[in-house]
Amino acid sequence: MKKEITLKINGEEFTKEVEPRTLLVHFIREDIGMTGTHIGCDTSSCGACTILIDGKSAKSCTILAVQAAGKEITTVEGIATTEGVHPIQEGFKENHGLHCGFCTPGMMLRAIELLEKNPDPTEEEIRWGISGNLCRCTGYNNIVKSIIYAGAKLRGDELPSTEPVFVE
Amino acid sequence: MIQCKTSKEISGMGHSMKRKEDDRFIHGKGNYTDDVKLPGTLYMDIVRSPYAYAKIKNIDSSEALKIPGVLAVITGKDLEQYNLHWMPTLMSDTQMVLPVDTVMYQAQEVAAIIATEKYIARDAREAVRVEYEVMKPVVDPFKALDADAPILRTDKPDKKDNHIWHWEVGQKEETEKIFQEAEVTVKEQMHIPRIHVASIETCGCVASYDKVDNHLTMYMTTQAPHAIRTVFALVAGHVGLTEEKIRVISPDIGGGFGGKVPVYPGYVIAIAASFLIGKPVKWIEDRSENLQADSFARDYHITAELAGTKDGKILATRMKVLADHGYTDASANPSKFPTGMFSIGTGSYDYPNAFMEADAVYTNKPPGGVAYRCSFRVTEAVHAIERITDRFALEIGKDPAALRFQNFIKKEQFPYHSPTGWEYDSGDYEAGLKLAMKGIDYDNLRIEQAEKRKKGELMGIGLSTFTEIVGAGPSKDFDILGIKMFDSAEIRVHPTGKAIARFGTKSQGQGHETTYAQIIAEELGIPAKDIQIEEGDTDTAPYGLGTYASRSTPTAGAAAVMAARKLRDKAKKIAAYLLEVSEDDLEWEPGKFSVKGAPEKSKTIQEIVFASYTNHPQGMEAGFEATHYYDPPNLTFPSGAYICVVDIDPDTFEIKVRRFVAIDDAGHIINPMIAQGQVHGGLTQGIAPAMYEELIYDDDGNILNGTLMDYLVPTAVESPSWETGHTVTPSPHHPIGAKGIGESPTVGAPPAIANAIVDALKPYGITHLDIPITPYKIFKALKEKGVLDKNIVES
């Protein structure tokens, strides 16, 4: 009882037959073969599977693949352009916003939407804005710094220093 | 300021070089275990016990096997035929792979499904019918040794109770005498809660057995691929899987924190299934399975005591531990001591005497524990000593910072011999605490606090000035199943001057691909960007014991230095030959040898390397490669001075960490940016058990918070904005004076937070609260003290 769906992922159109119960995250990882979107829990708590659906961030473990039919999906594999990395990718690398990298794709996609809605967020707004995404490695300091950096880059403002600051 | 000896181009030690591994991660090109796809892969799912303690009466797989795509349902009885139903733990206890007749904890593996698809395997899991005879479990460790407690390990014929081991260290008689005669003694009973590492990637594997070649390739989430290969060979050697036929590959790991050191039953079942079927078998556990069944951490009940004088001199400490290990001692403990490094519990203070003892018991809970971002049981010891130190300060009415200064081991006392037998390598505890106090403006905070107290506001300041013990370890005391805890590095420099280096460790986010390259760059002057680092493949990397216990830099990092220095010696010989001078006439600066007094006559390291392949001196071995296995002469002893300020809402008792300043001393720092990142992350894993996380079981052994819906991993909102800094006291025995940083913050943060909260409640007579300290615990404690209005309704 498979159902045929057509959807766009990172600009490319896919038509596939799926079981109606297939979660979108499994469809992306197993059927399409893009493994940058990760799975970190079974209760929609961790946000490692966050993608963009028609530009809005969503946890792809809470959505069935059939519900995504006709939609445009962006995963981590689709955010860099031919000109280079997305500012959020640059922000994470320059500011040591990742350690193991497992939460990073979801975290970056969540941040992209956050910055679209609020181009110059305060630290507090960033912390609440990413509170649906768990990171166990970084302690979030540098994720916040990465998002502030990406915001500045997207706005065309002067980039903040990426040097670590220490209590002296 | 950190001084760098190399240029930014070379980026040796001290440069905040951006991480080399990040490019693949930010593009979603990391390769984690679940990303490994092999043709013909089968999927495994696991039926788990709903009960904590039960006899298995029957397992009916018939309905499951009728589902198209289900190939097998494997039970303990199936494994028993191959003598694979039990396996050794790393502590030489035994653990079931699958039970034959009894389950010992809720969520224990009962049977495994092998199917062609993930969803089909899950369908089959629901279709397996298991009949249990439920028994009354042992949940409370304090009742495990009661005369009427059921004996859990009936598989051990000689076992007459649930006691696992007893351990003690120190001066028992002297300590008792001091306690009898001391002017002041204080005592608190504390629980360091059972918690979980909860790395965002769960555990899993792809076991791929080739029947023709009799060869197993095992992709798995392991922090210690070589040690695990040896364990597999020990478990499965009798069925023909000997060590040369096993290749363990640890791909990118999504966080480990000690939770990926043990061998979990799922790995072994997947191997057995692949071995029998001859196809790759993938097993990736759910988060809930991960929280409920994988090894826990901590769970120490400690009675901590301190004896001292009225004016603040500390004289002795006494600690008594009850350790709840679950149904088997599956500790991921690299030492010969069953309590690991708990005996670091005299901390940063000059104790003349100490006595510590511990007893471990079996209960009907998951086995463990793991060394969760901790060299095993250091977190527990540090919490006890830092809490009881504050308790003593409270008792005699002395400022906790002043008390610490009074009792610190002084800089000139190193190497310092602790009363529990350790030789601390180096430290400057006063410098760290002074910097932390300056950074947070301690004196003014105390003034602010005094004013707030007059108004009834709840503000607390907490200190933790801890000594860590990492880098396991010297072969005399440290091994896993007899294999000594050395680690290794192999450097190969190619003719064009670019290099690859391989290690026996395995990064799980620590940034080894960058920091190891920087260490080699420092020693050889080859730019770090030109040095590729590889770990995690037992077929290519030299044997090592893996990454945990902050051991990578102290052991494998040192091995890299030693291997690089062998190469520099060789480079010097080649340079002397090329420049036609004696070796004594050469001097080194990062990247080249030049003739003393004639700096224009020089050879770069790249020219020398090229010559080693093209024009090496007669009689010299060609090529430019070196390997080193480093057995550390001692552990390293990082330290930290942490100060935390909390404000507690007087109505809701919500705790807000206003500021947290962490000053660490990890000796020489390889990459300040990465070291700071490690501290940030560790601090958040410190606030977690201090305020949020605990695995809770009811009287029937049911886990009450076994999912991420109710096990509270801190988000960015709960995590404060951390402020960090460092002092630098090099380790005298480590070749680059480095000590290890990863676990210090996880170890040091919880007591700083607990001390701050207890300090806030000091006016109300509260002397101790067990972590995690929640608003409800504060409410209850104040209520018990009769502080709260009688009409406050208990929620």
Side-chain angles (χ1 to χ4, degrees):
Chain A
M1 282 199 295
K2 286 193 173 181
K3 194 173 159 50
E4 189 182 275
I5 58 167
T6 299
L7 74 176
K8 268 191 179 173
I9 302 179
N10 302 326
E12 189 181 343
E13 192 168 283
F14 292 92
T15 300
K16 292 242 173 206
E17 288 205 331
V18 293
E19 267 192 81
R21 63 173 174 170
T22 305
L23 295 175
L24 182 55
V25 66
H26 287 140
F27 177 77
I28 293 169
R29 289 181 51 82
E30 311 287 337
D31 295 5
I32 303 298
M34 291 183 185
T35 56
T37 305
H38 297 145
I39 301 170
C41 75
D42 47 6
T43 50
S44 300
S45 311
C46 80
C49 65
T50 303
I51 56 167
L52 299 180
I53 302 180
D54 292 340
K56 285 186 183 160
S57 63
K59 293 179 178 176
S60 59
C61 71
T62 62
I63 297 163
L64 300 170
V66 289
Q67 290 176 289
K71 310 272 190 200
E72 288 204 21
I73 286 169
T74 308
T75 70
V76 65
E77 290 92 344
I79 58 177
T81 62
T82 44
E83 283 97 70
V85 294
H86 188 282
I88 196 71
Q89 292 172 304
E90 182 179 319
F92 270 72
K93 179 172 178 178
E94 293 298 313
N95 294 282
H96 191 26
L98 63 149
H99 292 191
C100 79
F102 200 78
C103 77
T104 312
M107 199 66 89
M108 291 195 302
L109 286 156
R110 173 66 202 130
I112 287 174
E113 192 203 11
L114 176 72
L115 290 172
E116 219 153 78
K117 286 188 175 157
N118 182 357
D120 192 8
T122 63
E123 178 178 336
E124 182 83 0
E125 286 167 343
I126 292 173
R127 285 182 180 273
W128 280 102
I130 58 169
S131 62
N133 293 64
L134 294 176
C135 168
R136 195 57 155 172
C137 296
T138 66
Y140 303 103
N141 264 41
N142 287 344
I143 291 181
V144 172
K145 207 173 150 191
S146 304
I147 296 172
I148 290 172
Y149 176 99
K153 178 110 182 173
L154 284 163
R155 295 192 307 275
D157 288 357
E158 191 186 332
L159 294 177
S161 164
T162 63
E163 284 302 302
V165 177
F166 296 105
V167 174
E168 303 267 356
Chain B
M1 279 297 282
I2 290 165
Q3 304 293 327
C4 301
K5 288 188 207 151
T6 57
S7 64
K8 194 162 182 190
E9 170 65 18
I10 292 174
S11 272
M13 284 184 52
H15 289 280
S16 285
M17 181 186 188
K18 307 299 181 196
R19 297 203 324 172
K20 297 171 64 181
E21 45 270 80
D22 283 358
D23 286 328
R24 70 173 181 276
F25 294 130
I26 61 173
H27 285 93
K29 298 291 178 200
N31 186 36
Y32 303 90
T33 299
D34 195 18
D35 303 339
V36 173
K37 287 191 174 172
L38 303 176
T41 295
L42 303 173
Y43 295 86
M44 184 170 102
D45 210 329
I46 293 177
V47 178
R48 293 178 184 273
S49 170
Y51 303 111
Y53 190 34
K55 288 260 182 247
I56 297 171
K57 306 291 285 181
N58 185 42
I59 300 176
D60 178 0
S61 310
S62 55
E63 290 302 315
L65 287 166
K66 282 181 198 161
I67 298 172
V70 175
L71 275 74
V73 177
I74 301 169
T75 66
K77 290 204 167 123
D78 298 326
L79 295 183
E80 193 179 17
Q81 295 172 37
Y82 302 93
N83 197 25
L84 285 172
H85 54 314
W86 284 86
M87 62 180 179
T89 71
L90 297 178
M91 291 304 287
S92 301
D93 204 332
T94 50
Q95 178 172 4
M96 293 177 212
V97 178
L98 281 173
V100 173
D101 49 27
T102 310
V103 287
M104 302 297 278
Y105 65 93
Q106 191 187 48
Q108 186 182 340
E109 300 81 357
V110 172
I113 318 289
I114 308 296
T116 51
E117 286 178 35
K118 194 195 294 270
Y119 282 35
I120 293 173
R122 182 56 57 97
D123 288 343
R125 185 174 95 162
E126 305 304 323
V128 173
R129 295 280 166 265
V130 186
E131 213 179 305
Y132 297 96
E133 179 189 319
V134 181
M135 298 184 283
K136 185 72 190 156
V138 177
V139 180
D140 181 350
F142 287 97
K143 293 181 182 160
L145 299 178
D146 286 356
D148 61 347
I151 296 161
L152 297 181
R153 295 302 299 271
T154 50
D155 58 291
K156 299 185 177 193
D158 300 336
K159 205 79 196 135
K160 299 288 181 266
D161 57 29
N162 294 317
H163 188 260
I164 311 177
W165 44 253
H166 173 82
W167 164 90
E168 58 181 61
V169 70
Q171 302 75 36
K172 191 173 187 178
E173 286 79 28
E174 292 89 332
T175 302
E176 267 169 26
K177 191 162 178 290
I178 290 165
F179 269 89
Q180 279 161 15
E181 294 167 0
E183 290 173 356
V184 186
T185 62
V186 287
K187 178 178 184 175
E188 291 290 353
Q189 169 70 38
M190 47 188 94
H191 182 216
I192 317 300
R194 181 172 274 242
I195 54 174
H196 202 280
V197 300
S199 52
I200 305 297
E201 180 200 37
T202 61
C203 295
C205 66
V206 182
S208 180
Y209 177 69
D210 184 323
K211 279 193 169 182
V212 176
D213 291 342
N214 180 30
H215 185 277
L216 172 74
T217 305
M218 182 72 173
Y219 300 85
M220 65 185 285
T221 50
T222 179
Q223 299 174 224
H226 286 96
I228 295 302
R229 184 187 70 190
T230 303
V231 172
F232 286 155
L234 292 173
V235 173
H238 67 282
V239 293
L241 264 183
T242 47
E243 200 162 2
E244 86 285 9
K245 296 288 188 187
I246 303 170
R247 177 183 188 185
V248 175
I249 298 176
S250 184
D252 285 324
I253 296 187
F257 314 116
K260 288 170 181 167
V261 175
V263 177
Y264 294 118
Y267 299 134
V268 180
I269 307 167
I271 292 174
S274 183
F275 187 74
L276 295 174
I277 300 169
K279 284 191 172 185
V281 173
K282 181 185 266 195
W283 167 66
I284 305 290
E285 64 183 5
D286 279 353
R287 167 63 55 197
S288 303
E289 297 177 293
N290 169 263
L291 288 174
Q292 293 171 22
D294 288 359
S295 289
F296 68 93
R298 325 290 190 238
D299 213 352
Y300 259 29
H301 297 268
I302 307 172
T303 309
E305 295 178 89
L306 190 156
T309 66
K310 277 186 285 193
D311 67 353
K313 176 77 193 135
I314 54 184
L315 301 172
T317 184
R318 196 157 58 181
M319 293 187 194
K320 190 171 169 57
V321 175
L322 181 68
D324 181 348
H325 271 278
Y327 94 87
T328 178
D329 184 358
S331 297
N333 169 10
S335 77
K336 68 177 186 186
F337 317 107
T339 53
M341 272 80 107
F342 186 80
S343 51
I344 194 65
T346 55
S348 307
Y349 314 108
D350 190 8
Y351 273 97
N353 288 285
F355 179 68
M356 297 169 189
E357 61 183 321
D359 290 276
V361 293
Y362 291 127
T363 62
N364 288 107
K365 291 183 199 149
V370 295
Y372 173 10
R373 211 165 178 162
C374 158
S375 290
F376 207 54
R377 305 306 188 189
V378 180
T379 313
E380 291 88 332
V382 164
H383 198 80
I385 196 68
E386 289 302 309
R387 277 266 56 240
I388 204 67
T389 301
D390 260 40
R391 178 70 187 83
F392 178 50
L394 180 69
E395 189 73 16
I396 61 170
K398 193 158 195 164
D399 181 274
L403 183 87
R404 283 172 165 84
F405 280 122
Q406 181 181 356
N407 290 289
F408 274 150
I409 299 160
K410 306 278 180 266
K411 194 165 71 170
E412 52 279 6
Q413 284 176 274
F414 292 90
Y416 173 81
H417 293 268
S418 85
T420 54
W422 298 112
E423 185 187 299
Y424 294 13
D425 58 351
S426 66
D428 186 351
Y429 304 145
E430 285 188 15
L433 182 54
K434 277 182 187 160
L435 181 55
M437 289 171 75
K438 179 174 157 243
I440 207 157
D441 198 7
Y442 185 81
D443 294 341
N444 279 322
L445 283 173
R446 285 291 179 202
I447 292 166
E448 181 194 340
Q449 184 186 39
E451 283 165 4
K452 288 205 159 147
R453 276 191 177 148
K454 283 183 208 152
K455 293 187 272 181
E457 292 177 30
L458 303 176
M459 168 187 166
I461 305 158
L463 282 76
S464 164
T465 50
F466 60 92
T467 290
E468 252 275 44
I469 172 167
V470 308
S475 53
K476 69 180 166 45
D477 289 331
F478 294 88
D479 68 76
I480 286 181
L481 295 173
I483 300 165
K484 302 300 185 185
M485 296 292 294
F486 58 83
D487 225 295
S488 59
E490 177 207 270
I491 305 171
R492 295 183 184 181
V493 189
H494 312 310
T496 52
K498 318 286 179 183
I500 184 167
R502 296 188 171 106
F503 295 79
T505 49
K506 175 64 203 175
S507 182
Q508 312 120 42
Q510 292 89 337
H512 289 174
E513 288 170 49
T514 307
T515 51
Y516 284 158
Q518 288 184 264
I519 291 174
I520 296 167
E522 175 85 3
E523 295 297 324
L524 287 180
I526 296 173
K529 66 175 168 52
D530 294 343
I531 304 165
Q532 185 189 339
I533 303 298
E534 215 180 80
E535 300 175 291
D537 183 342
T538 57
D539 266 13
T540 56
Y543 201 100
L545 277 294
T547 293
Y548 39 89
S550 280
R551 66 183 302 275
S552 295
T553 295
T555 60
V561 176
M562 303 311 276
R565 287 180 185 170
K566 288 178 193 170
L567 289 176
R568 205 163 78 191
D569 287 346
K570 179 167 188 174
K572 193 175 193 180
K573 290 190 171 68
I574 296 171
Y577 167 74
L578 296 174
L579 293 163
E580 298 177 338
V581 294
S582 142
E583 281 182 56
D584 297 338
D585 294 331
L586 291 173
E587 58 188 0
W588 169 256
E589 67 182 274
K592 66 178 173 185
F593 277 108
S594 50
V595 179
K596 286 176 192 167
E600 72 285 356
K601 286 189 179 171
S602 68
K603 288 287 169 193
T604 66
I605 187 74
Q606 289 81 4
E607 289 169 329
I608 294 166
V609 170
F610 192 67
S612 76
Y613 289 90
T614 57
N615 181 25
H616 57 287
Q618 280 278 320
M620 179 188 273
E621 209 178 334
F624 211 75
E625 295 184 16
T627 304
H628 193 89
Y629 288 77
Y630 188 80
D631 179 3
N634 190 5
L635 294 152
T636 61
F637 295 76
S639 61
Y642 292 177
I643 307 181
C644 171
V645 189
V646 299
D647 297 298
I648 301 175
D649 186 296
D651 296 318
T652 64
F653 308 115
E654 186 190 357
I655 306 154
K656 174 102 187 136
V657 175
R658 188 203 306 177
R659 285 187 71 194
F660 195 111
V661 168
I663 304 300
D664 277 285
D665 195 328
H668 283 311
I669 297 172
I670 300 158
N671 180 320
M673 177 191 80
I674 289 177
Q676 184 187 51
Q678 288 292 305
V679 174
H680 289 158
L683 290 171
T684 294
Q685 287 183 321
I687 197 175
M691 289 172 55
Y692 303 105
E693 293 181 17
E694 177 176 16
L695 292 166
I696 305 167
Y697 290 82
D698 71 10
D699 292 345
D700 294 323
N702 298 307
I703 185 166
L704 300 183
N705 56 348
T707 78
L708 277 187
M709 302 271 279
D710 30 31
Y711 185 80
L712 300 177
V713 171
T715 73
V717 174
E718 285 78 45
S719 302
S721 186
W722 307 108
E723 301 168 65
T724 76
H726 43 255
T727 52
V728 177
T729 311
S731 169
H733 64 77
H734 187 275
I736 47 172
K739 288 188 171 185
I741 186 66
E743 58 187 50
S744 277
T746 314
V747 166
I753 295 164
N755 285 344
I757 296 169
V758 173
D759 182 54
L761 303 170
K762 175 175 155 182
Y764 307 103
I766 288 169
T767 60
H768 176 73
L769 288 171
D770 268 341
I771 57 170
I773 306 178
T774 59
Y776 182 62
K777 268 191 194 164
I778 296 174
F779 167 78
K780 249 186 9 181
L782 290 173
K783 185 118 175 133
E784 275 161 21
K785 292 283 175 193
V787 177
L788 292 179
D789 260 338
K790 294 280 182 282
N791 60 8
I792 289 182
V793 182
E794 195 156 333
S795 52

